[in-house]
Amino acid sequence: MTGMAGNERTPSGPPPALLTGAVADALRATGGRVGGVYLCSATPGLLRLAVLAGLPGPLFRPWWRVTVDRPFPVADVHRTGVPVVLANATEMMRDYAQLAAGLPFQFGSIYVPVVADGRSFGVLAVLRPAAADAAEVQGECERLTGVADSLGAALLRLDADGGDATWDGEPLCVRPPAAGPAPGRVGRFSWDPATDVVTLDEQARALLGLPPGEFPGTLDDLARAVDPTDAHRLPGLLHRTARGRPPPLPLQVRTTEGGLRLLELWEATGAATGPPDAVASAATPRPIAGVLLDPGPGALADGAADLLPEGVFCLDRLGLVVYANPRAGHLLGVPRDRLVGRSLWEAVPWLNQPTSEEHLRGALLSPEPAHFHVRLPVADGRSAVPRPYEGDWLRISLYPGADLVTCTAVPANRVPDGTAPEPPETDPPAPGTAASTAPLYRPIVLAIALTEAVTARQVSAVVMQELLPAFGGRRLAIYLLQERHLYLAWESGFPKGFLRPFEGVALDARLPGVETLTTGRPLFFDSMPQLSAAYPGIALDASEGARAFLPLIASGRPVGSCILGFDRSRSFSSEERTVLTALAGLIAHAMEKAQRYDTEAALARGLQQALLPRRLSQHARVQTAGRYLPGTEGMDVGGDWYDVVEAGDGLALVIGDVQGHGVQAAATMGQLRSAVRAFALGDRPPEEVMGGTNHLLIDLDPGQFASCCYVRLDPATGVARAVRAGHLPPLLRHPDGRTEVVDLRGGVVLGVDPRAHYPVTELRLEPGAILALYTDGLVERPGEDIDDGIAELRRALAGAGARPGRPSPAGTDAFGPASGSPPARSLADVADRLTATARQAADRADDIALLLATRRPADDGRQA
């Protein structure tokens, strides 16, 4: 890492003052320690972290981007518009295992949607100390919602004025409001670019070494008050801040006497008292305000810690070292004046390793102290301070506070077996290579995500969302083995058509994607020239970046190969190679499972299609229409079915739902459908049809039960005798548009009680009336009462009989009046309207069946 905050933001997007002000308000309203706001990206389906307050940005890089379909609270809140409260780590592990695996620390969190006028702009989040349960933080959630609503209204105004309410840059990393008095001496100043007037308070003049009294008052005068090496960049920084681009980190400047000062800048609204809440215009320079901070040791603890025998240093919530005693500089091999005012990872780069980063994340998120060991690198002649313990170990302890993390370092002569990490690599990366981001990634996150993926496409999507960003990759290709040839299952980031020549290559081809599978060894190439030298004549895309070819082998069986591509040249550390190889094994097992699933799903879909009726039995006086929609979760196939069967001189209308999904449910459905058809063709009474089917299912003992509704309709008279077994009641739309839920007595579901009784209810279907039979997938919604769903379907059926602008008057049927005037909607149109919302839904937890029936008038000679 080169620093502990995000890079300077891009010019597009909402003004920084608006977002940072909202996050500050959120922390004040909730008493939280960490806050952030995610905004929609210009890329559909992607949320980006725009502001992060109270945490070092690079330490949390894996959470900068969240796709809206990930099982993360930010994604759920954005999709549903419902706040999520996770009071503690237990609730987070229960509801969001992936997030808990990546951040396994004791803290709570609240997430609320940023919405206005029905539009979702993003999500406002606060992390806070753990609580006993959600009820304890309900008040905080309500206050946070108020802040989010104000931010949503401001973003809506910005969008209406032609501004950009999306975010596509790196996050702004800022300090949260202080929980106590600010450390060190603080001076304030302001600058108005319109008049070039600089105003300094008394403390600021003292910090710059200026005499008391009026400051001369121009930007040039201010620049002359600092060290010449800093003076040349100060005017440019102030001008950029005035145009809405404040630097993300406190800036180090030195006085003409050499004293270190930290400088923070922001847009002002006329007073230099703190960041404004109003939206600033990036087009017109605005007045700016700032503070000068003296991070000296005397201001923090009156120099008392300077006398301690152990190393002591303090980090603020952005990872900046704000104090270090002489012993800390001695043990870490960095002079104290080079520690203070810099991020820890910049000042002590050999601490950039997984163990250190993981414990610092924990100290910033939870109140528990953390302790770990780290090995000192051997001096290379570049260390400014000699270390008497080179090659030995240090014990680092982290003690979290509201605003600071206090750290101690002591030599450790002995390290418990198995607790010490490997010593870090001390060689710097080669010029032009990308720094490793593998330490930021927890492999268990990918493992958990893969357990939730069931199809090959879902596995590939998880790899793209979880693995690729963690290692800085931009390209992904996954090939699967079929009959000794490799076929492309997923690609992302490669030029269009580039991978086409590699489709279906045989296992004897000399290609890295083939040889990594046949040899079982991963192949890593730091650059394209290196790849070209190893495989002369191989086609290369325009990128000059590195490539990793990973074998996908599960339990010794070849599954395929995975290719990771990078935009730039880079080396792969031994740790990265080990981690990537292990992750390839996880991917292979998930892919093997997905292939079995795809095979079973294809079999189930074929079985189901074969069992559902291709055409419905017809009658001159009755028209029917059926619709079936498979679920989009799990096996994508279930046990719902419908049928229309000739029963003597009448018609039997049947709908049923077998518990569960998959091949077994489809097979059971087929058996029940055959049984009901056999009983109906014999024109058995409805109660006997249901009783006989119940006994059949009990005798088959498939370990499943089913619901069913059976209606025997006399087309001539319209008399219908109906029976149901645990199924939802039918709906009846009368010719005049009135719609009701049919009060149909029922018995228990099929397959449970051999002594079950199924009473018969008689009703009459008038010409032009519509009888609707349906399964629960059409009316059931997560978190809602099923009666509300039935009422919604009832309203939809009431308005579905006539064409737009032509409500059906009394005396007409669903196909128009008997006199032959212009027709209303056909029954097929009505069925399409009732299932339109379900067809357009990306996620259907259950399959859906719908069967509609209507009678024509006696003199209607049209064919069914």
Side-chain angles (χ1 to χ4, degrees):
M1 281 184 218
T2 58
M4 299 302 291
N7 293 340
E8 191 171 318
R9 69 177 291 271
T10 58
S12 62
L18 173 64
L19 302 178
T20 56
V23 173
D25 289 343
L27 293 176
R28 294 188 191 100
T30 60
R33 293 184 178 180
V34 177
V37 60
Y38 283 85
L39 294 180
C40 294
S41 163
T43 303
L46 180 66
L47 297 172
R48 285 186 180 272
L49 183 62
V51 171
L52 178 63
L55 291 176
L59 270 187
F60 295 84
R61 186 181 296 270
W63 298 274
W64 284 9
R65 302 164 69 256
V66 175
T67 54
V68 298
D69 59 348
R70 289 178 75 180
F72 272 35
V74 169
D76 283 352
V77 170
H78 178 68
R79 280 198 322 270
T80 65
V82 179
V84 167
V85 177
L86 303 174
N88 48 52
T90 301
E91 290 190 5
M92 183 165 64
M93 176 59 76
R94 182 191 64 205
D95 297 337
Y96 297 96
Q98 287 188 43
L99 181 61
L103 297 172
F105 311 115
Q106 285 294 334
F107 67 95
S109 52
I110 309 172
Y111 309 84
V112 299
V114 178
V115 296
D117 197 24
R119 176 177 172 185
S120 178
F121 291 97
V123 176
L124 190 59
V126 166
L127 310 187
R128 64 176 312 282
D133 53 44
E136 187 176 325
V137 294
Q138 187 57 42
E140 295 177 13
C141 183
E142 293 173 359
R143 293 192 293 272
L144 186 62
T145 299
V147 176
D149 290 344
S150 297
L151 176 58
L155 291 173
L156 186 65
R157 291 193 299 271
L158 176 68
D159 184 69
D161 293 339
D164 186 2
T166 63
W167 190 271
D168 280 291
E170 293 186 356
L172 297 171
C173 298
V174 298
R175 283 174 176 74
R185 296 180 294 158
V186 177
R188 300 183 181 276
F189 73 93
S190 63
W191 174 60
D192 187 346
T195 62
D196 196 28
V197 172
V198 176
T199 304
L200 300 176
D201 68 5
E202 183 178 348
Q203 190 70 272
R205 290 194 297 272
L207 288 173
L208 290 174
L210 298 173
E214 285 296 321
F215 180 67
T218 68
L219 188 54
D220 288 341
D221 294 328
L222 179 63
R224 282 192 290 270
V226 301
D227 187 272
T229 58
D230 297 320
H232 72 281
R233 64 191 180 103
L234 188 59
L237 291 169
L238 268 66
H239 278 289
R240 283 202 295 275
T241 302
R243 286 178 168 79
R245 299 174 63 191
L249 274 176
L251 306 164
Q252 299 179 50
V253 295
R254 294 189 179 273
T255 67
T256 54
E257 301 297 325
L260 177 66
R261 304 291 182 260
L262 300 181
L263 174 66
E264 292 197 54
L265 303 171
W266 59 80
E267 298 174 44
T269 56
T273 58
D277 295 328
V279 179
S281 168
T284 304
R286 299 289 302 271
I288 67 170
V291 296
L292 279 168
L293 173 68
D294 175 11
L300 285 168
D302 296 326
D306 287 0
L307 306 177
L308 295 176
E310 55 269 335
V312 178
F313 55 98
C314 297
L315 309 175
D316 71 2
R317 295 201 65 83
L318 292 190
L320 203 72
V321 181
V322 296
Y323 166 74
N325 70 354
R327 182 62 167 167
H330 180 70
L331 291 174
L332 298 176
V334 181
R336 182 166 66 169
D337 62 349
R338 286 177 52 193
L339 270 176
V340 177
R342 303 173 69 190
S343 71
L344 179 63
W345 266 251
E346 181 184 5
V348 192
W350 52 267
L351 276 175
N352 184 9
Q353 53 182 281
T355 300
S356 306
E357 293 183 351
E358 186 73 0
H359 284 97
L360 181 54
R361 271 194 287 268
L364 290 166
L365 290 174
S366 67
E368 299 298 324
H371 311 277
F372 63 95
H373 291 81
V374 64
R375 193 169 189 176
L376 289 164
V378 177
D380 56 5
R382 293 174 289 183
S383 175
V385 179
R387 289 188 298 267
Y389 303 102
E390 290 168 355
D392 258 338
W393 297 85
L394 285 181
R395 174 181 167 86
I396 305 290
S397 298
L398 308 175
Y399 299 92
D403 295 322
L404 298 175
V405 177
T406 301
C407 313
T408 63
V410 295
N413 295 326
R414 293 181 64 253
V415 177
D417 293 339
T419 64
E422 289 298 316
E425 297 181 10
T426 56
D427 294 336
T433 62
S436 167
T437 58
L440 297 171
Y441 187 69
R442 295 177 61 84
I444 193 172
V445 176
L446 178 66
I448 293 175
L450 286 174
T451 63
E452 299 177 356
V454 293
T455 68
R457 289 191 62 82
Q458 289 173 345
V459 171
S460 301
V462 166
V463 175
M464 185 182 72
Q465 294 171 2
E466 301 288 351
L467 178 62
L468 208 59
F471 288 85
R474 296 297 181 91
R475 293 167 170 80
L476 171 69
I478 294 180
Y479 285 85
L480 297 180
L481 182 64
Q482 296 180 22
E483 298 179 353
R484 297 189 58 79
H485 289 75
L486 288 174
Y487 295 92
L488 186 64
W490 182 279
E491 68 168 307
S492 176
F494 286 94
K496 185 177 180 180
F498 172 74
L499 296 177
R500 190 173 299 120
F502 303 101
E503 178 73 1
V505 295
L507 291 186
D508 58 358
R510 190 173 186 276
L511 293 169
V514 173
E515 293 190 356
T516 189
L517 180 61
T518 56
T519 64
R521 291 184 295 105
L523 302 174
F524 299 94
F525 300 95
D526 296 350
S527 64
M528 282 297 191
Q530 191 180 92
L531 173 60
S532 180
Y535 292 87
I538 189 174
L540 304 176
D541 61 85
S543 169
E544 291 297 323
R547 291 289 183 271
F549 297 84
L550 308 175
L552 302 183
I553 299 175
S555 303
R557 295 184 297 276
V559 176
S561 58
C562 176
I563 305 170
L564 304 180
F566 303 82
D567 284 345
R568 295 182 294 169
S569 299
R570 56 159 294 165
S571 59
F572 296 89
S573 67
S574 58
E575 179 195 16
E576 284 184 303
R577 293 172 185 240
T578 301
V579 170
L580 284 170
T581 302
L583 294 178
L586 293 177
I587 297 168
H589 280 282
M591 275 296 183
E592 185 181 46
K593 180 187 70 175
Q595 286 180 310
R596 290 197 301 268
Y597 168 88
D598 288 340
T599 300
E600 183 179 354
L603 173 62
R605 282 192 293 269
L607 175 61
Q608 187 179 47
Q609 290 172 359
L611 294 175
L612 286 173
R614 296 190 178 184
R615 57 183 298 273
L616 301 177
S617 297
Q618 300 180 9
H619 192 282
R621 293 285 304 276
V622 178
Q623 185 176 16
T624 56
R627 295 292 182 268
Y628 175 80
L629 299 176
T632 59
E633 300 179 8
M635 281 297 297
D636 290 346
V637 293
D640 290 19
W641 92 94
Y642 62 86
D643 206 351
V644 178
V645 187
E646 294 181 7
D649 56 359
L651 285 180
L653 311 174
V654 190
I655 197 161
D657 183 359
V658 176
Q659 169 218 10
H661 297 82
V663 173
Q664 182 61 52
T668 303
M669 177 268 283
Q671 292 171 313
L672 292 183
R673 175 174 176 261
S674 298
V676 173
R677 285 187 67 89
F679 288 128
L681 288 170
D683 202 13
R684 303 278 291 275
E687 63 273 26
E688 292 186 19
V689 173
M690 201 62 68
T693 306
N694 177 50
H695 283 287
L696 173 67
L697 185 57
I698 291 173
D699 291 342
L700 291 173
D701 192 22
Q704 294 172 304
F705 57 84
S707 67
C708 185
C709 183
Y710 180 93
V711 181
R712 202 277 188 187
L713 174 65
D714 184 342
T717 64
V719 173
R721 302 182 72 241
V723 63
R724 65 187 181 105
H727 203 81
L728 298 174
L731 298 179
L732 179 61
R733 183 186 188 276
H734 296 279
D736 60 3
R738 291 181 301 106
T739 306
E740 63 176 307
V741 178
V742 178
D743 184 13
L744 197 65
R745 293 179 298 165
V748 299
V749 293
L750 304 175
V752 174
D753 182 5
R755 298 182 301 277
H757 173 65
Y758 299 99
V760 176
T761 300
E762 190 170 294
L763 62 146
R764 180 175 174 80
L765 190 64
E766 300 290 342
I770 300 176
L771 183 66
L773 310 180
Y774 53 93
T775 58
D776 55 5
L778 187 59
V779 294
E780 204 165 30
R781 306 285 184 274
E784 297 182 14
D785 194 304
I786 195 169
D787 289 338
D788 295 336
I790 294 174
E792 183 180 342
L793 179 63
R794 176 182 170 182
R795 289 190 294 270
L797 179 60
R803 295 195 182 277
R806 290 184 183 172
S808 297
T812 65
D813 63 14
F815 314 97
S819 61
S821 58
R825 294 187 185 276
S826 70
L827 200 62
D829 289 339
V830 174
D832 289 337
R833 282 173 60 85
L834 296 182
T835 56
T837 301
R839 282 200 310 273
Q840 296 166 5
D843 299 317
R844 289 193 298 272
D846 200 0
D847 44 348
I848 293 170
L850 172 69
L851 178 62
L852 303 179
T854 187
R855 289 178 63 225
R856 291 195 176 94
D859 58 351
D860 191 340
R862 288 174 291 179
Q863 296 300 309

